[in-house]
Coordinates of all heavy atoms in Angstrom, one line a residue:
M1 N 15.2 -15.0 -10.4 CA 13.9 -14.7 -10.9 C 13.3 -13.4 -10.1 O 13.4 -13.4 -8.9 CB 12.9 -15.9 -10.6 CG 11.6 -15.7 -11.3 SD 10.9 -17.3 -11.4 CE 9.4 -17.0 -10.6
K2 N 12.8 -12.5 -10.9 CA 12.3 -11.3 -10.3 C 10.9 -11.5 -9.6 O 10.1 -12.1 -10.2 CB 12.2 -10.2 -11.3 CG 11.9 -8.8 -10.8 CD 12.0 -7.8 -11.9 CE 11.6 -6.4 -11.3 NZ 11.6 -5.4 -12.3
K3 N 10.7 -10.9 -8.5 CA 9.5 -11.0 -7.8 C 8.5 -10.0 -8.4 O 8.8 -8.8 -8.5 CB 9.7 -10.7 -6.3 CG 8.5 -10.9 -5.4 CD 8.9 -10.7 -4.0 CE 7.7 -10.9 -3.1 NZ 8.0 -10.7 -1.7
N4 N 7.3 -10.5 -8.8 CA 6.3 -9.6 -9.5 C 5.4 -8.9 -8.5 O 4.7 -8.0 -8.9 CB 5.6 -10.4 -10.5 CG 6.5 -10.7 -11.7 OD1 7.4 -10.0 -12.0 ND2 6.2 -11.8 -12.3
V5 N 5.2 -9.5 -7.3 CA 4.2 -8.9 -6.4 C 4.9 -8.7 -5.0 O 6.0 -9.3 -4.7 CB 3.0 -9.9 -6.2 CG1 2.2 -10.0 -7.4 CG2 3.5 -11.2 -5.7
I6 N 4.4 -7.8 -4.3 CA 4.8 -7.5 -2.9 C 3.6 -7.6 -2.0 O 2.5 -7.3 -2.5 CB 5.5 -6.1 -2.8 CG1 6.1 -5.9 -1.4 CG2 4.5 -5.0 -3.3 CD1 6.9 -4.7 -1.4
T7 N 3.7 -8.1 -0.9 CA 2.6 -8.1 0.0 C 2.4 -6.7 0.5 O 3.2 -5.9 0.7 CB 2.7 -9.1 1.2 OG1 3.7 -8.6 2.1 CG2 3.1 -10.5 0.7
F8 N 1.1 -6.4 0.9 CA 0.7 -5.2 1.4 C 1.5 -5.0 2.7 O 1.9 -3.9 3.0 CB -0.8 -5.1 1.6 CG -1.3 -3.7 1.9 CD1 -1.5 -2.8 0.8 CD2 -1.5 -3.3 3.2 CE1 -1.9 -1.5 1.1 CE2 -1.9 -2.0 3.4 CZ -2.2 -1.2 2.4
A9 N 1.6 -6.0 3.5 CA 2.3 -5.9 4.8 C 3.8 -5.6 4.6 O 4.4 -4.8 5.4 CB 2.2 -7.2 5.7
E10 N 4.4 -6.2 3.6 CA 5.8 -5.9 3.3 C 6.0 -4.4 3.0 O 6.9 -3.7 3.5 CB 6.4 -6.7 2.2 CG 6.6 -8.2 2.5 CD 6.9 -9.0 1.3 OE1 6.5 -8.7 0.1 OE2 7.6 -10.0 1.4
L11 N 5.2 -3.9 2.1 CA 5.2 -2.5 1.7 C 5.0 -1.6 2.9 O 5.7 -0.6 3.2 CB 4.3 -2.2 0.6 CG 4.3 -0.8 0.1 CD1 5.7 -0.5 -0.5 CD2 3.3 -0.5 -1.0
A12 N 4.0 -2.0 3.7 CA 3.7 -1.2 4.9 C 4.8 -1.1 5.9 O 5.2 -0.1 6.4 CB 2.4 -1.7 5.6
M13 N 5.5 -2.2 6.0 CA 6.7 -2.2 6.9 C 7.8 -1.4 6.4 O 8.6 -0.8 7.1 CB 7.2 -3.6 7.2 CG 6.2 -4.5 8.1 SD 6.0 -3.8 9.8 CE 7.6 -3.9 10.4
L14 N 7.9 -1.3 5.1 CA 8.9 -0.4 4.5 C 8.6 1.1 4.8 O 9.5 1.9 5.0 CB 9.0 -0.6 3.0 CG 9.6 -1.9 2.5 CD1 9.5 -2.1 1.0 CD2 11.1 -2.1 3.0
Y15 N 7.3 1.5 4.7 CA 6.9 2.8 5.0 C 6.9 3.1 6.5 O 7.2 4.3 6.9 CB 5.5 3.2 4.4 CG 5.6 3.5 3.0 CD1 5.2 2.6 2.0 CD2 6.1 4.7 2.5 CE1 5.2 2.9 0.7 CE2 6.1 5.0 1.2 CZ 5.6 4.1 0.3 OH 5.7 4.5 -1.0
F16 N 6.7 2.1 7.3 CA 6.6 2.3 8.8 C 7.5 1.3 9.5 O 7.1 0.4 10.2 CB 5.1 2.1 9.2 CG 4.2 3.1 8.6 CD1 3.5 2.8 7.5 CD2 4.1 4.4 9.2 CE1 2.7 3.8 6.9 CE2 3.3 5.3 8.7 CZ 2.5 5.0 7.5
P17 N 8.8 1.4 9.3 CA 9.8 0.4 9.9 C 9.8 0.4 11.4 O 10.1 -0.6 12.0 CB 11.1 0.8 9.4 CG 11.0 2.3 9.0 CD 9.5 2.4 8.6
D18 N 9.3 1.5 12.1 CA 9.3 1.5 13.5 C 8.0 1.0 14.1 O 7.8 1.1 15.3 CB 9.6 2.9 14.0 CG 11.0 3.4 13.6 OD1 11.9 2.5 13.5 OD2 11.2 4.6 13.4
A19 N 7.1 0.6 13.3 CA 5.8 0.1 13.8 C 6.1 -1.1 14.7 O 7.0 -2.0 14.4 CB 4.9 -0.3 12.6
S20 N 5.3 -1.3 15.7 CA 5.5 -2.4 16.7 C 5.2 -3.7 16.1 O 5.8 -4.7 16.5 CB 4.7 -2.1 18.0 OG 3.3 -2.0 17.7
T21 N 4.3 -3.8 15.1 CA 3.9 -5.0 14.5 C 3.5 -4.8 13.0 O 3.2 -3.6 12.7 CB 2.6 -5.7 15.1 OG1 1.5 -4.8 14.9 CG2 2.8 -5.9 16.6
P22 N 3.6 -5.8 12.1 CA 3.2 -5.5 10.8 C 1.7 -5.1 10.7 O 1.4 -4.3 9.8 CB 3.3 -6.9 10.1 CG 4.4 -7.6 10.9 CD 4.2 -7.1 12.3
R23 N 0.9 -5.6 11.5 CA -0.5 -5.2 11.6 C -0.7 -3.7 11.8 O -1.5 -3.0 11.1 CB -1.3 -6.0 12.6 CG -2.7 -5.5 12.8 CD -3.4 -6.3 13.8 NE -4.4 -7.0 13.1 CZ -5.1 -8.1 13.6 NH1 -4.8 -8.5 14.7 NH2 -6.0 -8.6 12.8
N24 N 0.2 -3.1 12.7 CA 0.1 -1.6 12.9 C 0.6 -0.9 11.7 O 0.1 0.2 11.4 CB 0.9 -1.3 14.1 CG 0.2 -1.7 15.4 OD1 -1.0 -1.9 15.5 ND2 1.0 -1.8 16.5
A25 N 1.6 -1.4 11.0 CA 2.1 -0.8 9.8 C 1.0 -0.8 8.7 O 0.8 0.2 8.0 CB 3.4 -1.5 9.4
V26 N 0.3 -1.9 8.6 CA -0.7 -2.0 7.6 C -1.8 -1.0 7.9 O -2.3 -0.3 7.0 CB -1.3 -3.4 7.6 CG1 -2.6 -3.5 6.9 CG2 -0.3 -4.4 6.9
R27 N -2.2 -0.9 9.1 CA -3.2 0.1 9.6 C -2.8 1.6 9.1 O -3.6 2.3 8.6 CB -3.5 0.0 11.0 CG -4.3 -1.2 11.4 CD -4.6 -1.2 12.9 NE -5.3 -2.4 13.3 CZ -5.0 -3.0 14.4 NH1 -4.2 -2.6 15.3 NH2 -5.7 -4.1 14.7
S28 N -1.5 1.9 9.4 CA -1.0 3.2 9.1 C -1.0 3.4 7.6 O -1.4 4.5 7.1 CB 0.4 3.3 9.7 OG 0.4 3.3 11.1
L29 N -0.6 2.5 6.8 CA -0.6 2.6 5.4 C -2.0 2.7 4.8 O -2.3 3.6 3.9 CB 0.2 1.5 4.7 CG 0.4 1.6 3.2 CD1 1.0 2.9 2.8 CD2 1.2 0.4 2.6
N30 N -2.9 2.0 5.4 CA -4.3 2.1 5.0 C -4.8 3.5 5.2 O -5.6 4.1 4.4 CB -5.2 1.1 5.7 CG -5.2 -0.2 5.0 OD1 -5.2 -0.3 3.8 ND2 -5.3 -1.3 5.8
R31 N -4.5 4.1 6.4 CA -4.9 5.4 6.7 C -4.4 6.4 5.6 O -5.1 7.3 5.2 CB -4.5 5.9 8.1 CG -5.4 5.4 9.2 CD -5.1 6.1 10.5 NE -3.8 5.8 11.1 CZ -3.6 4.7 11.8 NH1 -4.5 3.9 12.1 NH2 -2.4 4.5 12.3
W32 N -3.1 6.3 5.3 CA -2.5 7.2 4.3 C -3.2 7.1 3.0 O -3.6 8.1 2.3 CB -1.0 6.9 4.1 CG -0.1 7.5 5.1 CD1 -0.5 8.0 6.3 CD2 1.3 7.5 5.1 NE1 0.7 8.4 7.0 CE2 1.8 8.1 6.3 CE3 2.2 7.1 4.1 CZ2 3.1 8.3 6.5 CZ3 3.6 7.2 4.4 CH2 4.0 7.9 5.6
I33 N -3.5 5.9 2.5 CA -4.2 5.6 1.3 C -5.6 6.2 1.3 O -6.0 6.9 0.4 CB -4.2 4.1 0.9 CG1 -2.8 3.6 0.6 CG2 -5.2 3.8 -0.3 CD1 -2.6 2.2 0.5
N34 N -6.3 6.0 2.4 CA -7.7 6.5 2.5 C -7.8 8.0 2.6 O -8.8 8.5 2.3 CB -8.4 5.8 3.7 CG -8.7 4.3 3.4 OD1 -8.9 3.9 2.3 ND2 -8.6 3.6 4.5
R35 N -6.7 8.6 3.0 CA -6.7 10.1 3.0 C -6.4 10.8 1.7 O -6.3 12.0 1.6 CB -5.7 10.6 4.1 CG -6.2 10.2 5.5 CD -5.2 10.7 6.5 NE -5.7 10.4 7.8 CZ -4.8 10.2 8.9 NH1 -3.5 10.5 8.8 NH2 -5.3 9.9 10.1
C36 N -6.1 10.0 0.7 CA -5.7 10.5 -0.6 C -6.7 9.9 -1.6 O -6.5 8.8 -2.2 CB -4.3 10.1 -1.0 SG -3.8 10.8 -2.5
P37 N -7.9 10.6 -1.8 CA -8.9 10.1 -2.7 C -8.4 9.8 -4.1 O -8.9 8.8 -4.8 CB -10.0 11.2 -2.7 CG -9.7 12.0 -1.6 CD -8.3 11.9 -1.2
E38 N -7.5 10.6 -4.7 CA -7.0 10.4 -6.0 C -6.3 9.0 -6.1 O -6.4 8.3 -7.0 CB -6.1 11.5 -6.4 CG -6.8 12.9 -6.5 CD -6.8 13.6 -5.2 OE1 -6.2 13.2 -4.2 OE2 -7.5 14.6 -5.2
M39 N -5.4 8.7 -5.1 CA -4.7 7.5 -5.1 C -5.7 6.3 -5.0 O -5.5 5.3 -5.7 CB -3.7 7.5 -4.0 CG -2.9 6.1 -3.9 SD -1.6 6.0 -2.7 CE -2.1 7.0 -1.3
L40 N -6.6 6.4 -4.1 CA -7.6 5.4 -3.8 C -8.4 5.1 -5.1 O -8.6 3.9 -5.4 CB -8.5 5.7 -2.7 CG -9.4 4.7 -2.2 CD1 -8.7 3.4 -1.8 CD2 -10.3 5.2 -1.0
E41 N -8.8 6.1 -5.8 CA -9.5 5.9 -7.0 C -8.7 5.2 -8.1 O -9.1 4.3 -8.8 CB -10.0 7.3 -7.6 CG -10.8 7.1 -8.9 CD -12.0 6.3 -8.8 OE1 -12.6 6.1 -7.7 OE2 -12.4 5.7 -9.8
E42 N -7.4 5.6 -8.2 CA -6.5 5.0 -9.2 C -6.3 3.6 -8.8 O -6.3 2.7 -9.7 CB -5.2 5.8 -9.3 CG -4.4 5.5 -10.5 CD -3.3 6.5 -10.7 OE1 -3.3 7.6 -10.2 OE2 -2.3 6.0 -11.4
L43 N -6.1 3.3 -7.6 CA -5.9 1.9 -7.1 C -7.2 1.0 -7.4 O -7.1 -0.1 -7.8 CB -5.6 1.9 -5.6 CG -4.2 2.3 -5.3 CD1 -4.1 2.5 -3.7 CD2 -3.2 1.2 -5.7
R44 N -8.3 1.6 -7.1 CA -9.6 0.8 -7.4 C -9.8 0.4 -8.8 O -10.3 -0.6 -9.1 CB -10.8 1.7 -6.9 CG -10.9 1.6 -5.4 CD -12.2 2.3 -4.9 NE -12.3 2.2 -3.5 CZ -12.9 3.1 -2.7 NH1 -13.5 4.1 -3.3 NH2 -13.0 2.9 -1.4
K45 N -9.3 1.3 -9.7 CA -9.3 0.9 -11.2 C -8.5 -0.3 -11.5 O -8.7 -0.9 -12.6 CB -8.9 2.1 -12.0 CG -9.9 3.3 -12.0 CD -9.4 4.5 -12.7 CE -10.4 5.6 -12.6 NZ -9.9 6.8 -13.3
T46 N -7.6 -0.7 -10.7 CA -6.7 -1.8 -10.9 C -7.3 -3.1 -10.2 O -6.6 -4.1 -10.2 CB -5.3 -1.6 -10.4 OG1 -5.3 -1.5 -9.0 CG2 -4.7 -0.4 -11.0
G47 N -8.5 -3.0 -9.5 CA -9.0 -4.1 -8.8 C -8.7 -4.1 -7.3 O -9.1 -5.0 -6.6
Y48 N -8.0 -3.1 -6.9 CA -7.7 -3.0 -5.5 C -9.0 -2.7 -4.7 O -9.8 -1.9 -5.1 CB -6.8 -1.7 -5.3 CG -6.5 -1.4 -3.8 CD1 -5.4 -1.9 -3.2 CD2 -7.2 -0.5 -3.2 CE1 -5.1 -1.5 -1.9 CE2 -7.0 -0.1 -1.9 CZ -5.9 -0.7 -1.2 OH -5.6 -0.3 0.1
A49 N -9.1 -3.4 -3.6 CA -10.3 -3.3 -2.7 C -9.7 -3.2 -1.3 O -9.1 -4.0 -0.8 CB -11.2 -4.4 -2.8
P50 N -10.1 -2.0 -0.6 CA -9.6 -1.8 0.8 C -10.0 -3.0 1.6 O -11.1 -3.6 1.5 CB -10.4 -0.6 1.2 CG -10.6 0.2 -0.1 CD -10.9 -0.9 -1.1
Y51 N -9.1 -3.4 2.4 CA -9.3 -4.5 3.4 C -9.4 -5.9 2.7 O -9.7 -6.9 3.3 CB -10.5 -4.3 4.3 CG -10.4 -2.9 5.0 CD1 -11.2 -1.9 4.6 CD2 -9.5 -2.7 6.0 CE1 -11.1 -0.7 5.2 CE2 -9.3 -1.5 6.6 CZ -10.2 -0.5 6.2 OH -10.1 0.8 6.8
N52 N -9.0 -6.0 1.4 CA -9.0 -7.2 0.7 C -7.8 -7.2 -0.3 O -8.0 -7.4 -1.4 CB -10.3 -7.5 0.0 CG -10.4 -8.9 -0.5 OD1 -9.7 -9.8 -0.1 ND2 -11.3 -9.2 -1.4
H53 N -6.6 -6.9 0.2 CA -5.5 -6.7 -0.6 C -4.2 -7.3 0.0 O -3.4 -6.6 0.4 CB -5.4 -5.2 -0.9 CG -5.4 -4.4 0.3 ND1 -6.5 -3.9 0.8 CD2 -4.4 -4.1 1.2 CE1 -6.3 -3.2 2.0 NE2 -5.0 -3.4 2.2
R54 N -4.2 -8.5 0.1 CA -3.0 -9.2 0.7 C -1.8 -9.0 -0.2 O -0.7 -8.7 0.3 CB -3.3 -10.7 0.8 CG -2.2 -11.4 1.5 CD -2.6 -12.9 1.8 NE -2.8 -13.0 3.2 CZ -3.1 -14.0 3.8 NH1 -3.3 -15.1 3.1 NH2 -3.2 -14.1 5.1
Y55 N -1.9 -9.0 -1.5 CA -0.8 -8.8 -2.4 C -1.1 -7.7 -3.3 O -2.2 -7.4 -3.7 CB -0.6 -10.1 -3.3 CG -0.2 -11.3 -2.5 CD1 -1.1 -12.2 -2.1 CD2 1.1 -11.5 -2.1 CE1 -0.8 -13.3 -1.3 CE2 1.5 -12.6 -1.4 CZ 0.5 -13.5 -1.0 OH 0.9 -14.6 -0.2
L56 N 0.0 -6.9 -3.7 CA -0.1 -5.8 -4.6 C 0.5 -6.2 -5.9 O 1.6 -6.8 -5.9 CB 0.5 -4.6 -4.0 CG 0.0 -4.0 -2.7 CD1 0.9 -2.9 -2.2 CD2 -1.4 -3.4 -3.0
T57 N -0.1 -5.8 -7.0 CA 0.4 -6.0 -8.3 C 1.5 -5.0 -8.5 O 1.6 -4.0 -7.8 CB -0.6 -5.9 -9.4 OG1 -1.0 -4.5 -9.4 CG2 -1.8 -6.8 -9.2
P58 N 2.4 -5.2 -9.4 CA 3.4 -4.1 -9.7 C 2.8 -2.8 -10.0 O 3.3 -1.7 -9.6 CB 4.2 -4.7 -11.0 CG 4.0 -6.2 -10.8 CD 2.6 -6.4 -10.3
R59 N 1.7 -2.7 -10.7 CA 1.0 -1.5 -11.0 C 0.4 -0.8 -9.7 O 0.6 0.4 -9.6 CB -0.2 -1.7 -12.0 CG -1.0 -0.5 -12.4 CD -0.2 0.4 -13.3 NE -0.9 1.6 -13.4 CZ -0.4 2.9 -13.2 NH1 0.8 3.0 -12.8 NH2 -1.1 3.9 -13.4
Q60 N -0.1 -1.6 -8.8 CA -0.7 -1.0 -7.6 C 0.5 -0.5 -6.8 O 0.4 0.6 -6.2 CB -1.5 -2.1 -6.8 CG -2.8 -2.5 -7.5 CD -3.4 -3.8 -6.9 OE1 -2.7 -4.6 -6.3 NE2 -4.6 -3.9 -7.2
H61 N 1.6 -1.2 -6.7 CA 2.8 -0.8 -6.0 C 3.3 0.5 -6.5 O 3.6 1.5 -5.8 CB 3.8 -1.9 -6.1 CG 5.1 -1.6 -5.3 ND1 6.2 -2.2 -5.6 CD2 5.4 -0.7 -4.4 CE1 7.2 -1.7 -4.8 NE2 6.7 -0.8 -4.0
A62 N 3.3 0.6 -7.9 CA 3.8 1.9 -8.5 C 2.9 3.0 -8.2 O 3.4 4.2 -8.0 CB 3.9 1.6 -10.0
I63 N 1.6 2.8 -8.1 CA 0.7 3.9 -7.8 C 0.9 4.4 -6.4 O 0.9 5.6 -6.2 CB -0.8 3.4 -8.0 CG1 -1.1 3.2 -9.5 CG2 -1.8 4.4 -7.4 CD1 -2.4 2.4 -9.7
I64 N 1.0 3.5 -5.5 CA 1.3 3.9 -4.1 C 2.6 4.7 -4.0 O 2.6 5.8 -3.4 CB 1.3 2.7 -3.1 CG1 -0.1 2.1 -3.1 CG2 1.8 3.1 -1.8 CD1 -0.2 0.8 -2.4
V65 N 3.7 4.3 -4.7 CA 4.9 5.0 -4.6 C 4.8 6.3 -5.3 O 5.4 7.3 -4.9 CB 6.0 4.1 -5.2 CG1 7.3 4.9 -5.4 CG2 6.3 2.9 -4.4
K66 N 4.0 6.4 -6.4 CA 3.8 7.7 -7.1 C 3.2 8.7 -6.2 O 3.7 9.9 -6.2 CB 2.9 7.4 -8.2 CG 2.5 8.7 -9.0 CD 1.6 8.3 -10.2 CE 0.2 8.9 -10.1 NZ -0.6 8.7 -11.2
Y67 N 2.3 8.4 -5.3 CA 1.6 9.3 -4.4 C 2.4 9.6 -3.2 O 2.3 10.6 -2.6 CB 0.2 8.9 -4.2 CG -0.7 9.2 -5.3 CD1 -1.0 8.2 -6.2 CD2 -1.4 10.4 -5.4 CE1 -1.8 8.4 -7.3 CE2 -2.2 10.6 -6.5 CZ -2.5 9.6 -7.4 OH -3.3 9.9 -8.5
L68 N 3.1 8.5 -2.6 CA 3.7 8.6 -1.3 C 5.2 8.8 -1.4 O 5.8 9.0 -0.4 CB 3.4 7.4 -0.5 CG 1.9 7.1 -0.2 CD1 1.7 5.9 0.7 CD2 1.2 8.4 0.5
D69 N 5.8 8.7 -2.6 CA 7.2 8.6 -2.8 C 7.8 7.3 -2.3 O 7.1 6.7 -1.4 CB 7.9 9.8 -2.1 CG 7.6 11.2 -2.7 OD1 7.4 11.2 -3.9 OD2 7.5 12.2 -2.0
P70 N 8.9 6.9 -2.7 CA 9.5 5.6 -2.3 C 9.7 5.6 -0.8 O 10.1 6.7 -0.2 CB 10.8 5.5 -3.1 CG 10.6 6.4 -4.2 CD 9.8 7.6 -3.8
P71 N 9.5 4.5 -0.1 CA 9.9 4.4 1.3 C 11.4 4.5 1.5 O 12.2 4.2 0.6 CB 9.4 3.0 1.7 CG 9.3 2.3 0.5 CD 9.1 3.2 -0.6
E72 N 11.9 5.0 2.6 CA 13.3 5.2 2.8 C 14.0 3.9 3.2 O 13.5 3.0 3.7 CB 13.5 6.3 3.9 CG 13.0 7.6 3.4 CD 13.3 8.7 4.4 OE1 14.1 8.5 5.3 OE2 12.8 9.8 4.2

């Protein structure tokens, strides 16, 4: 069965694999998102709310990857 959602922490760890903790990775990904007003606006249209996003929908995940490129 295909997983439809990814946690924000899982995605953050993919972008920041060297972060000392998942919490630090989440903070770093939040900074990147907040520095890109276009991405943040597009995410907000999907119901994304900063600091209240434990899980990402497939659409939200796609938006982040669109702006940041896929994690390595």
Side-chain angles (χ1 to χ4, degrees):
M1 189 163 126
K2 187 174 180 181
K3 186 175 181 182
N4 291 328
V5 295
I6 185 171
T7 69
F8 193 81
E10 287 172 333
L11 184 61
M13 289 299 295
L14 291 174
Y15 278 105
F16 299 94
D18 296 331
S20 58
T21 66
R23 174 178 246 164
N24 287 338
V26 165
R27 287 181 184 143
S28 296
L29 184 54
N30 272 324
R31 276 194 294 274
W32 279 11
I33 291 170
N34 289 328
R35 289 180 184 158
C36 184
E38 296 87 9
M39 175 175 35
L40 187 56
E41 180 59 28
E42 199 170 333
L43 284 168
R44 284 186 175 150
K45 289 178 182 176
T46 68
Y48 172 91
Y51 307 106
N52 189 19
H53 50 267
R54 183 174 250 182
Y55 297 96
L56 296 171
T57 66
R59 179 72 186 126
Q60 291 167 340
H61 181 201
I63 290 167
I64 292 170
V65 170
K66 175 176 113 176
Y67 284 92
L68 301 180
D69 293 325
E72 294 184 14

